[in-house]
């Protein structure tokens, strides 16, 4: 029988916390833990990435797609530095991740090879939770504390394990003896509800509004039925933040789409015309698109009270779970919708959808990137996951991809770091290998790390019950990484190299499709989604297609609501902007 080491203890605690896999890049300082994972026979599994940064993105992607705790492994020095991007993604989007960093430093402090002050390096991203294990007895309780903290604070944490400690042979460590303390694994789920008096005040405010609007963020996941019921009861229009896009069925006639620079004119119009605003689980940074100061009275629901009122003034704060709090509000509200206002919102939505179809159908050289997402919209599988990268693809995703209910979509929403989508997609596929996954990238992200991580896909796909993982690469050869109306430079040396992405996929034993004619885009999607293995769909698109962010609704009228004729001026401006509105809708 093999002797038990501290590295084996680490694996035991990961298993106790039901961690299905840990992502990382092997190195000498973490080798004992990696070897123990390999010996564990896949429970949990070790998933080697091509780079530490992508390993940390995979861990964060696992947390985003599964709701669980992501785990990544690295060594000290440059390996630890590379984890920061994915960990900051987890921090800014409030996802729990545990980073386990091996340290192999001998000799005098300040002179060792690859020595970096890990406490200072990880102190900010991990909210000062950076802990060093020094004895075998500390390891179980330290890992339990790390997992508990990550879950409770929805943030990344870091545990540093010296290699010498990982290799120590340990006897059976009895809980609560010899300094060994272990916690009961698992995240306790509490029922969080606001005080009754606050719920009464919120219901009173919402019930007296004439033109209500609801802005939905990622914190409202799981509350779609309650949001729709509340919107119907109030006659409200609903917009979402970029991260909140998957929460609601986007086919709803009063769903105006995403708000903000990447969003829709219909959402800007909703914010410009409303007099009552309900914020549900959102920390949307595009405040230029929020209603004007003094225009609305506002209720905000968030599980984290620290976020209430940080983006927009709030009249009634409600700290609680989204679904539970909305149900409590529904019990207090009469069914008295303003049908005129709801009709105005629906006309705005209908106009935008027609405009979106026109934009997607506009000619381009060779393909309009909006058309690529428009054609996918009618073909998205009814289950599975979508991972979205940073760049112009976010604009086309936000406006032109209609997500079916039940399809989980994730992106690096707050940090905005390029190169997240393919690592996310790998994590999503490993978590649910019997469902399809689609990754949406630009050619910049594909060259940044996607070409390398296709090796990871090629390594794993043969074990997936459903082999479909489609990687869309919008190949616009634009060095800026954004496209969106920039005219291609006449100097070829300043343009991004044109890599045969589909051909690279075929070299790895995957499927590859390249399309450069608009009439073949639909057929290309059909081929990619029907392939018997992962597929790279390379679409050659026009970098000169403008991003065309919507104008913040009535931006030049901000501050006018201090005057008594605010409603008349808003009505006049809406009419001037071509927004059909009845006089009684704005009283």
């Amino acid at each position: 029988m093999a002797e038990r080491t501290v590295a084996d203890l680490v694996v035991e605690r990961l298993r106790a916390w039901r961690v299905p896999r840990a992502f990382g890049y092997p190195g000498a300082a973490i080798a004992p833990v990696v070897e123990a994972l390999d010996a564990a026979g896949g429970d949990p599994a070790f998933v080697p990435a091509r780079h530490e940064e992508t390993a940390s993105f995979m861990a964060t992607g696992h947390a985003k797609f599964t709701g669980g705790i992501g785990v990544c492994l690295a060594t000290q020095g440059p390996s630890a530095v590379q984890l920061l991007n994915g960990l900051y993604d987890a921090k800014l989007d409030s996802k729990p991740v545990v980073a386990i960093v091996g340290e192999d430093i001998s000799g005098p402090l300040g002179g060792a090879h690859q020595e970096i002050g890990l406490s200072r390096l990880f102190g900010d991203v991990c909210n000062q939770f950076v802990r060093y294990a020094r004895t075998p007895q500390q390891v179980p309780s330290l890992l339990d504390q790390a997992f508990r903290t990550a879950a409770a604070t929805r943030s990344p944490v870091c545990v540093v394990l010296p290699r010498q400690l990982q290799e120590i042979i340990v006897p059976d460590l009895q809980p609560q003896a010899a300094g060994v303390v272990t916690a009961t694994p698992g995240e306790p789920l509490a029922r969080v509800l606001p005080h009754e008096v606050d719920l009464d005040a919120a219901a009173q405010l919402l019930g007296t509004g004439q033109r209500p609007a609801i802005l939905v963020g990622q914190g409202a996941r799981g509350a779609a039925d309650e949001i729709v019921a509340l919107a119907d009861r109030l006659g409200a229009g609903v917009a979402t933040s970029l991260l909140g896009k998957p929460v609601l069925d986007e086919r709803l006639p009063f769903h105006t789409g995403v708000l903000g620079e990447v969003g829709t004119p219909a959402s800007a119009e909703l914010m410009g015309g409303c007099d009552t605003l309900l914020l549900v689980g959102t920390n949307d940074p595009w405040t230029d698109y929020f209603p004007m100061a003094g225009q609305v009275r506002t209720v905000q629901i968030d599980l984290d009270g620290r976020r209430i009122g940080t983006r927009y003034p709030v009249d009634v704060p409600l700290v609680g779970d989204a679904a539970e709090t909305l149900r409590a509000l529904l019990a207090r509200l009469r069914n008295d919708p303003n049908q005129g206002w709801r009709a105005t919102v629906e006309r705005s939505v209908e106009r935008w959808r027609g405009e979106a179809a026109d934009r997607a159908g506009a000619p381009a050289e060779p393909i309009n990137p909006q058309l690529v997402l428009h054609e996918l919209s009618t073909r998205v599988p009814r289950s599975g996951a979508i991972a979205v990268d940073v760049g112009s693809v976010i604009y086309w995703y936000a406006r032109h991809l209609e997500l079916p209910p039940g399809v989980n979509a994730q992106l690096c929403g707050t940090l905005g770091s390029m190169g997240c989508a393919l690592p996310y997609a790998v994590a999503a596929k490993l978590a649910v290998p019997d469902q399809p996954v689609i990754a949406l990238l630009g050619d910049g992200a594909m060259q940044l790390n996607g070409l390398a991580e296709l090796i990871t896909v090629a390594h794993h796909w043969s074990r997936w019950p459903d082999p479909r993982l489609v990687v869309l690469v919008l190949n616009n050869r634009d060095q800026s990484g954004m496209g969106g109306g920039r005219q291609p430079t006449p100097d070829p040396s300043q343009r991004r190299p044109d890599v045969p992405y589909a051909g690279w996929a075929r070299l790895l034993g995957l499927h590859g499709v390249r399309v450069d004619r608009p009439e073949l885009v639909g057929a290309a999607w059909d081929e990619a989604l029907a392939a018997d293995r992962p597929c790279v769909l390379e679409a050659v698109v026009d970098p000169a297609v403008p991003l065309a962010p919507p104008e913040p609704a009535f931006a030049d009228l901000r501050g006018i609501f201090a005057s008594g004729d605010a409603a008349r001026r808003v009505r006049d401006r809406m009419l001037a902007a071509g927004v059909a509105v009845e006089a009684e809708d704005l009283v």
Side-chain angles (χ1 to χ4, degrees), residues 390-524:
V390 172
S392 59
V393 68
I394 282 185
Y395 289 75
W396 319 137
Y397 156 78
R399 298 173 188 157
H400 295 281
L401 184 58
E402 189 177 84
L403 295 175
V407 171
N408 193 355
Q410 298 288 348
L411 66 157
C412 185
T414 310
L415 180 63
S417 179
M418 187 187 297
C420 62
L422 196 45
Y424 279 10
V426 169
K429 190 67 180 180
L430 290 173
V432 190
D434 60 350
Q435 293 188 356
V437 174
I438 299 172
L440 308 177
L441 292 74
D443 51 352
M446 197 62 180
Q447 290 188 22
L448 184 68
N449 60 32
L451 292 171
E453 287 307 329
L454 278 182
I455 299 172
T456 306
V457 175
H459 178 68
H460 288 280
W461 78 266
S462 62
R463 296 185 290 274
W464 296 337
D466 183 331
R468 289 176 296 172
L469 191 161
V470 179
V471 180
L472 169 68
V473 181
L474 294 178
N475 183 3
N476 66 10
R477 296 87 62 210
D478 178 48
Q479 190 67 40
S480 75
M482 289 299 292
R486 288 182 74 255
Q487 291 299 324
T489 174
D491 182 359
S493 68
Q494 299 302 311
R495 300 184 68 192
R496 179 173 287 119
D498 194 2
V499 174
Y501 305 102
W504 170 239
R506 289 191 290 269
L507 285 174
L508 293 174
L510 309 177
H511 194 60
V513 180
R514 187 178 190 271
V515 60
D516 57 7
R517 293 166 55 187
E519 67 273 17
L520 298 180
V521 171

Side-chain angles (χ1 to χ4, degrees), residues 131-454:
R131 301 289 189 269
Y132 287 74
R134 299 303 186 195
T135 69
Q137 290 80 8
Q138 292 173 342
V139 171
S141 61
L142 186 57
L143 286 171
D144 289 340
Q145 185 183 5
F147 276 91
R148 184 79 68 203
T149 301
T153 62
R154 302 193 306 280
S155 65
V157 299
C158 178
V159 174
V160 182
L161 297 175
R163 174 173 177 140
Q164 294 84 348
L165 176 64
Q166 299 171 45
E167 296 173 324
I168 292 177
I169 305 298
V170 294
D172 288 338
L173 299 178
Q174 298 300 319
Q176 311 302 329
V180 179
V181 180
T182 58
T184 302
E187 179 184 0
L189 299 177
R191 182 175 184 239
V192 182
L193 269 174
H195 291 293
E196 297 289 325
V197 64
D198 296 322
L199 289 166
D200 292 340
Q204 172 67 21
L205 186 155
L206 295 171
T208 56
Q210 294 298 305
R211 303 182 306 279
I214 303 174
L215 179 60
V216 174
Q218 66 166 337
R221 286 176 184 265
D225 291 343
E226 289 81 4
I227 293 168
V228 171
L230 188 67
D232 285 339
R233 189 161 298 184
L234 297 173
V238 179
T240 71
S241 69
L242 183 60
L243 290 174
K245 180 177 167 72
V247 171
L248 291 180
D249 184 351
E250 295 193 280
R251 298 168 297 184
L252 293 167
F254 52 87
H255 192 318
T256 62
V258 172
L259 179 70
E261 182 179 318
V262 302
T264 73
S267 289
E269 291 170 3
L270 176 67
M271 293 296 116
C274 66
D275 69 355
T276 309
L277 179 61
L278 173 61
L279 304 171
V280 185
T282 179
N283 195 34
D284 198 315
W286 273 308
T287 54
D288 284 352
Y289 290 84
F290 278 45
M292 291 177 274
Q295 173 186 336
V296 299
R297 299 181 69 201
T298 305
V299 175
Q300 183 172 0
I301 301 171
D302 204 293
L303 187 59
D304 188 343
R306 296 172 298 179
R307 293 188 171 177
I308 291 182
T310 60
R311 300 293 189 185
Y312 194 77
V314 172
D315 296 284
V316 182
L318 298 177
V319 178
D321 297 306
E324 292 269 12
T325 303
L326 289 168
R327 283 195 288 270
L329 286 175
L330 279 165
R332 290 167 164 81
L333 286 167
R334 293 180 295 110
N335 187 20
D336 186 24
N338 182 341
Q339 298 294 353
W341 169 245
R342 171 61 75 83
T344 298
V345 172
E346 292 183 359
R347 287 193 295 269
S348 178
V349 172
E350 188 176 355
R351 264 193 315 278
W352 158 243
R353 290 176 179 169
E355 181 184 341
D358 291 342
R359 290 187 186 185
E365 184 57 43
I367 295 176
N368 186 333
Q370 299 170 106
L371 175 67
V372 181
L373 275 296
H374 182 78
E375 289 288 344
L376 172 61
S377 193
T378 61
R379 295 171 168 83
V380 178
R382 302 295 100 176
S383 63
I386 294 177
V388 188
D389 220 292
V390 172
S392 59
V393 68
I394 282 185
Y395 289 75
W396 319 137
Y397 156 78
R399 298 173 188 157
H400 295 281
L401 184 58
E402 189 177 84
L403 295 175
V407 171
N408 193 355
Q410 298 288 348
L411 66 157
C412 185
T414 310
L415 180 63
S417 179
M418 187 187 297
C420 62
L422 196 45
Y424 279 10
V426 169
K429 190 67 180 180
L430 290 173
V432 190
D434 60 350
Q435 293 188 356
V437 174
I438 299 172
L440 308 177
L441 292 74
D443 51 352
M446 197 62 180
Q447 290 188 22
L448 184 68
N449 60 32
L451 292 171
E453 287 307 329
L454 278 182

